Amino acid sequence: MGYTQRRVVSAAAQVGAALCAVAVLLPLVLISGDLLAKGVSALNLDFFTQLPKPVGEVGGGMANAIVGTLVLIGLACAVGLPVGVLAGVYLSEYGHGRLGWLVRFAADVLMGVPSIVIGIYVYTLIVLPLHSFSAYAGGCALGIIMLPIVTRTTEEMLRLVPGSLREAALALGVPTWRTIIWVVLRTARGGIITGIMLAVARVAGETAPLLFTAFGNQFWHHGLSGPISSLPVQLYAYAISPFDDWHRQAWAGALVLMGLIFLTSLSVRLLTRGGFRSTL
């Protein structure tokens, strides 16, 4: 292949890569633009401070749904993150045998299970015995959905850490457990946190499992053992309603939900970027 042909192939590859990058960004830009165009008009102070109005009345807000979403995500993180990170550490550092293969296979299968199936499972496991929908059940369902994502992401990020770092720490007499915590996890923490944020973004918009577990609540929740409102369920209820005002609030709720995910991801990336610099 001559010089001219190589330049043509290189230019074609660059154009193809650029088109693929645009194809990835285009859906996000279109969705964000549509949400901004249709959701901004319904955003006001009442939307963030007031409870939903009764059926047929105009106005109100989604304050209880916003708080409920944050509570459910917090419970999901409490359930899914410790187990997922520790499972990822095991697969990366010790999971070279049959048990590791089995855990890895189970995580891959669980990642493909529809979220509504997980919701039904938690419904039979927690809601039916306790005779009540609850925030605990919703957080548990979302935590199970997060679990395989965090596990596989943590494993892959830890595998990217050079083995020479482990060997250097062990050669200095550092115990294995301290090497994993202070060298391996510290080096890969940026990637691990990115995986955690992907898992949070995934569960933040889940609706089906919450219909069977947290259910929903038109009022403020009192404790975590009762039904709790959430933005995805509230959006679903408003979107299928026949009222134009509820449709506008549904668009605004979708905009707020996407804004929460964006701000959380941006904050974590800014914080971890400083961590990378200090590590390097």
Side-chain angles (χ1 to χ4, degrees), residues 31 35 38-39 42-43 47-48 52 61-66 69 201 203-208 210-211 215-218 228-261:
I31 292 173
L35 288 178
K38 298 180 179 178
L43 288 179
F47 184 86
F48 297 96
M62 293 188 182
N64 58 337
I66 296 173
T69 298
V203 302
E206 286 289 349
T207 304
L210 297 181
L211 292 173
F215 190 66
N217 191 342
Q218 290 293 313
I228 186 171
S229 182
S230 61
L231 277 174
V233 175
Q234 195 78 13
L235 297 183
Y236 171 74
Y238 276 23
I240 62 175
S241 72
F243 307 110
D244 293 335
D245 185 60
W246 281 17
H247 292 169
R248 290 191 305 105
Q249 293 203 29
W251 283 109
L255 179 61
V256 170
L257 184 60
M258 193 162 182
L260 286 175
I261 296 172

Side-chain angles (χ1 to χ4, degrees), residues 39 59 81 87 110 117 150 176 182 189 199 215 218 222 238-239 255 265:
L81 295 191
L110 185 60
V117 175
V150 177
T176 303
W182 295 107
R189 61 181 174 180
F215 190 66
Q218 290 293 313
H222 300 285
Y238 276 23
L255 179 61
S265 301

Side-chain angles (χ1 to χ4, degrees), residues 90-109:
Y90 170 77
L91 292 178
S92 173
E93 305 301 320
Y94 304 102
H96 308 298
R98 292 183 178 179
L99 181 58
W101 179 88
L102 181 62
V103 174
R104 196 174 290 109
F105 177 74
D108 291 340
V109 172

Side-chain angles (χ1 to χ4, degrees), residues 1 14-15 84 95-96 107 113 115 146 153 180 193 203 224 241 246 252:
M1 182 181 294
Q14 291 180 6
V15 171
H96 308 298
V113 174
S115 60
M146 291 180 66
T153 305
I180 294 174
I193 291 175
V203 302
L224 303 178
S241 72
W246 281 17

Side-chain angles (χ1 to χ4, degrees), residues 26 46 48 59 74 86 102 133-134 139 143-144 157 169 182 205-206 212 220 228 240 267 271:
L26 188 61
D46 289 346
F48 297 96
L86 291 177
L102 181 62
F133 299 99
S134 65
I144 293 174
M157 291 300 105
W182 295 107
E206 286 289 349
F212 293 92
W220 292 106
I228 186 171
I240 62 175
S267 302
L271 292 175

Side-chain angles (χ1 to χ4, degrees), residues 20-34 258:
C20 292
V22 172
V24 171
L25 293 176
L26 188 61
L28 178 62
V29 173
L30 293 177
I31 292 173
S32 300
D34 209 24
M258 193 162 182

Side-chain angles (χ1 to χ4, degrees), residues 197-209:
M197 295 315 305
L198 290 175
V200 170
R202 160 76 190 280
V203 302
E206 286 289 349
T207 304

Side-chain angles (χ1 to χ4, degrees), residues 164-183:
S164 57
L165 289 178
R166 297 178 177 84
E167 295 170 358
L170 294 174
L172 293 174
V174 179
T176 303
W177 66 271
R178 293 193 67 177
T179 299
I180 294 174
I181 294 176
W182 295 107
V183 177

